[in-house]
Amino acid sequence: MTNTLMIEKAKTSKIKDVDFDNLSFGSIYTDHMLVCDYKDGEWKAPKIVPYQPLTLDPSAKIFHYGQSIFEGMKAYKDDEDNVWLFRPLENFKRLNKSAKRIAIPELPEEFFMEGLTTLLQIEKDWIPKNPGSSLYIRPFILASGTGFHASPADEYKFIIACAPSGAYFSGKVKVLIEQNYSRAANGGVGYAKAGGNYAGQFYPTQLAIEKGYNQVIWTDDNEHEYIEEAGAMNIFVRINDTLITGPTSDRILDGITRKSILDIAKDEGIATEVRKISVTEVVEAAKAGTLKEMFGAGTAAVVSPIASFGYKDNDYDLPDLADSYASRLKKRITDIQYNRAEDKFGWRFKVQ
C-alpha cells in the first residue's frame, strides 16, 4: 500500500503555538489526519491530509442511525526520541470486531497499520516527552452514505486524528454503584466501541455527579447485582490478595489494558480470578475489611484507583495502601509503553 498512500502536507504548522507543558486531554489536534473512504463496495486508498473539518450531507446516516465506532490508542516517545505503540494490532482487531457488529465494512489491516505509522512519522514532533505525556490517537469510522431509510450506509469514512495530551491524572475517584440504569444488555452492542454506548452513559453519570460522585459503576441489566464496568473502563476488585475482574461478554468491552493487567499480575505472582463479582460480595468485603482495592483500567488513565463507592445510600471507603496493586501494575505497563523496561510479552511496537 506504501506506493498508493497520498500525502498532502499542511502549508503551515500549529505546533509553535502549543504549550506542551500544559496540555489538557484530547483538546489540541495535530497538523494532519488520515482519511480513507469506503465507496462502490470497497475501501479506497488512504490519504494523509491537513487536519480539517468534514463536510457531510444532512442525510448522512451517521446523524440518523448512529453508525459510528472508534478506538483509543497512544504513541509514546522514549529518551532517545524513538516512537512506540502499545499492542496496536489489538486495537485494529477490536475496531473490526466493532465494525462487524454495527454493520460497517471491515478495514484491511495494512490500511490501518501503514496509515497509522506513516501518520505518526509525519507527526513525530507532536509527541510530547514530558513525564506521563503521550500522543492520543483516535481511529474512527462513521457512516457518510446518505438516506433517511433505516438501513446500513453504502459509504463510510475511516479517519485517524491525533491529540498531544499531558499526564492523565484522574486522582482517586468516588463512584456510585448503579441500581437503575444499564450500560448494555445481553445480545446488544456493549462489547463494541460504538459511539452510542457512550452517549447512553452520560445522563446516569450526570445524575451520579449531582449526588457528589465522580463516576458510575455499571451493573448487569437484569438484576443490577453484578459489577461490570467503571464508567468507560473495565473494573478490577482486590479482595484480600486476590485480584478479580468480570469476564468479557457481549455487554463488556474486551479492554486491551484489562488483558495486559491480567498478564502482568500473573507474571508478578498476584492471584487473579476472572469471574462474576456480585455487589453483595463487594459490600460484605468492605464491611469485613477484606476489600483492599478497586480500580478502573483503560487507555487514558491506564489505572484509575477508586477511593470509595456508594450503594443504597451508604458510602464505603477503601484503604489507602502504600504498595497497592494498582500502582505496581500501572508502573509495569507504563515502563513497557515508554521503553523503560524489558517487554517480555512482545507488546511494544516501534514506529519506523
Side-chain angles (χ1 to χ4, degrees), residues 206-272:
Q206 188 59 44
L207 294 179
I209 290 170
E210 290 171 3
K211 294 177 181 177
Y213 299 91
N214 305 107
Q215 193 51 269
V216 165
I217 287 186
W218 300 104
T219 51
D220 66 285
D221 64 306
N222 188 21
E223 303 170 275
H224 294 288
E225 174 56 18
Y226 293 96
I227 284 175
E228 299 206 324
E229 293 199 353
M233 309 176 81
N234 294 120
I235 188 166
F236 284 82
V237 174
R238 175 185 172 185
I239 297 178
N240 288 318
D241 291 331
T242 300
L243 195 61
I244 312 164
T245 192
T248 55
S249 66
D250 52 13
R251 297 189 311 276
I252 298 177
L253 187 73
D254 187 11
I256 295 163
T257 306
R258 172 190 175 276
K259 290 191 284 193
S260 304
I261 283 175
L262 285 171
D263 287 343
I264 289 174
K266 290 172 186 174
D267 187 63
E268 294 257 327
I270 295 171
T272 61

